[in-house]
Structure formats: C-alpha cells, structure tokens
Amino acid sequence: MRTNKDKFIYLISPNKIYKNFYRDLRKVLKTNKIAFFQLRLKKDSYDNKIKVAKKVKIICKAFGVKFLINDDPKLAYQVNANGCHLGQNDMALNDARKILKKKIIGVTCHNSISLAKIAIKQKADYLAFGAFNITKTKKVRFRANVGVIKKLKKLSDIPVVAIGGINNLNYKKLLLNKADFLAISGYIWNNKKLKPTEAIKLLK
C-alpha cells in the first residue's frame, strides 16, 4: 500500500468544513506529501457528507491521493471512495468487506496487539494505533507508544498508521520507529501560528 516514501501523511479533515477549505485542501495536496485523505465529519448530516465527499473526491483524484471515508462503508460505497476507516464501534470489518469488496479498509486498534491480530486475520488493509500524543481533535481514551509499533512489525508487514497529536516536533520519532503513515489533522487545520500549507511543509 506504500508506494512513495515521501508521501507519508494520512491527512484527516477538520471536524467542520470551513469557507476556504477546498482551496486550502488543493494547496496542501499539491505539496505531494499526502498519501491518504480521510473525510471525518461526525456531526454533519448524511446528505451534507455526500455533498462534501463528492467535491473532495474530485480534488483527491486530481492529486493522486487515496480518498477514504471515516466510519461509514455505505457512504464510501455510495460516493465510490477508495475505501473507509473503521473504529472498534463501527461496522464489523467482515460486513464492510461485503460492501466495499477490494477497496481499502483500515481499522483502529488503539494500543492493542490483540485487536491488531484480529484485524489482520480479517484482512484489514492497514492498522491505526494511537493516540501517541495529547490531541484536541478527539477525546483520548487510549494512549500508545512506539513499543506497540515494534511489536506489530515483528508479527506482520501490514502498514501502520500512527495517530494522535502529531506535529512537526514529534513526527520523526514515529517514522524512525517504522510507522508507515502519520495521521494528522489538528496540526494542519487548527494551527494558530501556521497556515495549512506552511504547517505541512515543515513535515520534511
């Protein structure tokens, strides 16, 4: 699933689509550092998610970025996204696979090798671990450290996505410990000091 070592960012949308979001998204994707973009709109209506997803899909395709939907395999199918991401309380992976067939399905495993083993057995395409750092993007219930990545890499070569409070000061440690992708949201979209393109360029 990893084809370009320079494209290690798994970008997650802001919680709310703001006025200049689509313009900023184009600029960020143009940096050629993004492998995946996940649309994560927890509070929006289904109809609005479809509307946003269709626009984002066009932008992602233009820059060769895989477009994923958070939580909802049916929505991913409806907009013909490249796949979806499942949390532990979302649809079971086996059921999602029936809907999405060979499309990408990733699974949140928190800090648990046991959950990872289950997801691997069920043929997940990637595993997400975290939170590795304090984050304001979502409530942190589980904390992970690089030890869980090291353990996983001894078991499988499945791609690992690290998530949680990742920024320009702490991202290299995760890459050095063999995280394949870094899931980033707040550092890009809610950065009070840097514009999205300025923030992304610091991740070299």
Side-chain angles (χ1 to χ4, degrees):
M1 200 169 73
R2 178 89 176 265
T3 57
N4 184 336
K5 66 178 182 179
D6 294 321
K7 297 180 75 169
F8 59 85
I9 298 174
Y10 180 122
L11 186 60
I12 300 176
S13 71
N15 293 327
K16 186 177 181 180
I17 302 302
Y18 58 89
K19 183 179 178 181
N20 293 321
F21 168 72
Y22 299 109
R23 181 200 67 185
D24 287 346
L25 180 62
R26 287 186 183 92
K27 288 182 178 180
V28 168
L29 298 191
K30 193 176 180 179
T31 64
N32 202 36
K33 294 174 181 287
I34 317 299
F36 300 93
F37 179 83
Q38 181 196 120
L39 186 64
R40 183 181 183 273
L41 299 174
K42 293 284 191 178
K43 297 181 180 180
D44 284 41
S45 68
Y46 191 82
D47 287 345
N48 194 57
K49 288 179 183 179
I50 291 175
K51 181 180 177 181
V52 174
K54 287 180 177 179
K55 291 181 180 180
V56 171
K57 178 187 168 186
I58 292 171
I59 297 171
C60 286
K61 188 173 182 179
F63 291 98
V65 174
K66 299 293 185 184
F67 175 46
L68 307 179
I69 299 289
N70 181 254
D71 291 349
D72 195 336
K74 292 180 180 178
L75 176 60
Y77 176 82
Q78 187 167 348
V79 300
N80 195 27
N82 296 111
C84 78
H85 180 82
L86 299 175
Q88 288 296 320
N89 296 320
D90 297 326
M91 182 185 292
L93 195 156
N94 289 335
D95 292 331
R97 185 63 71 194
K98 292 174 184 176
I99 297 170
L100 295 176
K101 309 300 182 185
K102 293 183 179 181
K103 290 183 180 288
I104 298 166
I105 302 178
V107 179
T108 293
C109 295
H110 303 306
N111 54 10
S112 172
I113 293 297
S114 296
L115 291 177
K117 288 179 178 178
I118 293 170
I120 291 168
K121 191 173 182 179
Q122 294 178 343
K123 301 291 194 291
D125 292 294
Y126 70 82
L127 307 179
F129 291 104
F132 283 91
N133 307 281
I134 296 297
T135 173
K136 294 181 180 179
T137 302
K138 60 188 291 188
K139 187 176 180 180
V140 174
R141 292 180 55 213
F142 302 91
R143 289 296 301 271
N145 58 49
V146 294
V148 74
I149 301 176
K150 292 177 180 179
K151 288 179 182 177
L152 191 281
K153 290 295 182 179
K154 291 179 180 179
L155 297 173
S156 172
D157 60 359
I158 189 169
V160 169
V161 177
I163 190 168
I166 299 171
N167 57 40
N168 62 306
L169 300 178
N170 59 31
Y171 78 103
K172 286 187 177 179
K173 180 180 179 181
L174 292 165
L175 292 178
L176 289 171
N177 282 281
K178 298 186 179 179
D180 297 282
F181 302 98
L182 306 182
I184 300 176
S185 181
Y187 168 70
I188 302 300
W189 308 115
N190 302 320
N191 197 315
K192 294 180 180 179
K193 296 181 180 179
L194 301 170
K195 294 178 181 178
T197 47
E198 293 172 338
I200 205 100
K201 286 177 182 178
L202 293 179
L203 305 173
K204 300 176 182 179

